[in-house]
Amino acid sequence: MAELNFQTFIFYAFSAVLVGASVGVITSRNPVHSALLLVLAFFTSAGLWIQLQAEFLAIALVLVYVGAVMVLFLFVVMMLDINLEKLRKDFWSYLPVGGLVAALLVLEMGWILWSHFSADGFQREEPAPLPADYSNTKQLGRLIYTVYVYPFEIAAVILLVAIVAAIALTLRHRKESKYIDPARQVEVRRKDRVRIVSMASEKKPD
């Protein structure tokens, strides 16, 4: 009973930190602070996944997102000259749409939790302890490439489209930058680039 109460306390503590860090990510005025709060959110999420006996996901979250992705985010945020005043200029005009989307997401998550837990009267039994030779990494790979192979591939395509869209949106053609068109370079002829002029030689006066 004491162990159960301790696990419950750890769960609620991590959950409170996670919710607070998530709110801080979207409300912080400094992008660097938002990135650091997101790192804290990833760490607390990893702690919750460890409690759910999903050690592989927790380690992958810390190594991949905290160790690689967030470092990249920090480099991008700190090296780019972000005009915060310009970004906040149209904040209130986008607030109704953003609030509507956020409300829909909250309602959707609430409906999923209600339909999942209300079937058994909101009382969940503790899962049975897993055997010593159990590998959640193996089970995760088996489910991804058998049961959820199509959603997994669809998610990969969506991420690819998002990458292409992000590149297209951030690509800006500068007028002062030099650009070479390979097609025009191939079609270049000698007479278009070089002109030989015959000039009479002049003798320097003595």
Side-chain angles (χ1 to χ4, degrees):
M1 189 66 178
E3 182 182 357
L4 179 60
N5 293 333
F6 179 72
Q7 290 181 357
T8 305
F9 171 77
I10 293 297
F11 172 78
Y12 282 112
F14 279 3
S15 300
V17 175
L18 177 58
V19 172
S22 303
V23 173
V25 169
I26 61 177
T27 57
S28 179
R29 295 180 177 273
N30 193 326
V32 178
H33 294 168
S34 297
L36 294 176
L37 287 170
L38 188 57
V39 171
L40 178 60
F42 285 152
F43 271 115
T44 51
S45 299
L48 292 175
W49 280 352
I50 290 177
Q51 277 198 312
L52 296 174
Q53 299 181 357
E55 295 85 2
F56 174 77
L57 294 178
I59 295 174
L61 182 63
V62 173
L63 292 180
V64 176
Y65 282 89
V66 178
V69 176
M70 289 312 304
V71 173
L72 179 62
F73 280 4
L74 286 174
F75 271 110
V76 171
V77 169
M78 297 178 69
M79 294 180 67
L80 290 180
D81 187 13
I82 301 176
N83 191 349
L84 298 179
E85 296 298 331
K86 185 177 181 180
L87 293 176
R88 296 171 186 158
K89 183 179 180 181
D90 298 328
F91 172 78
W92 295 108
S93 61
Y94 294 113
L95 183 60
V97 179
L100 178 61
V101 173
L104 290 176
L105 290 176
V106 171
L107 290 176
E108 181 181 0
M109 290 187 290
W111 177 75
I112 292 174
L113 293 175
W114 178 270
S115 61
H116 182 70
F117 289 102
S118 62
D120 51 3
F122 295 94
Q123 294 183 2
R124 307 287 293 181
E125 297 181 357
E126 289 294 323
L130 299 174
D133 58 347
Y134 180 81
S135 175
N136 55 19
T137 306
K138 180 179 179 181
Q139 295 298 325
L140 180 64
R142 184 182 64 82
L143 289 175
I144 287 179
Y145 292 105
T146 55
V147 180
Y148 300 104
V149 60
Y150 291 115
F152 182 72
E153 296 296 333
I154 292 173
V157 173
I158 293 175
L159 289 176
L160 177 62
V161 173
I163 293 173
V164 175
I167 295 173
L169 290 174
T170 57
L171 182 62
R172 297 179 177 88
H173 296 285
R174 298 181 179 178
K175 296 181 179 180
E176 66 273 9
S177 62
K178 296 182 179 180
Y179 174 73
I180 298 177
D181 188 357
R184 296 185 62 183
Q185 290 290 330
V186 172
E187 296 175 355
V188 167
R189 295 178 297 180
R190 185 183 63 180
K191 63 180 183 179
D192 297 332
R193 298 296 185 184
V194 179
R195 185 176 62 177
I196 300 176
V197 179
S198 179
M199 299 181 63
S201 60
E202 297 182 356
K203 185 177 180 181
K204 292 183 179 180
D206 296 337

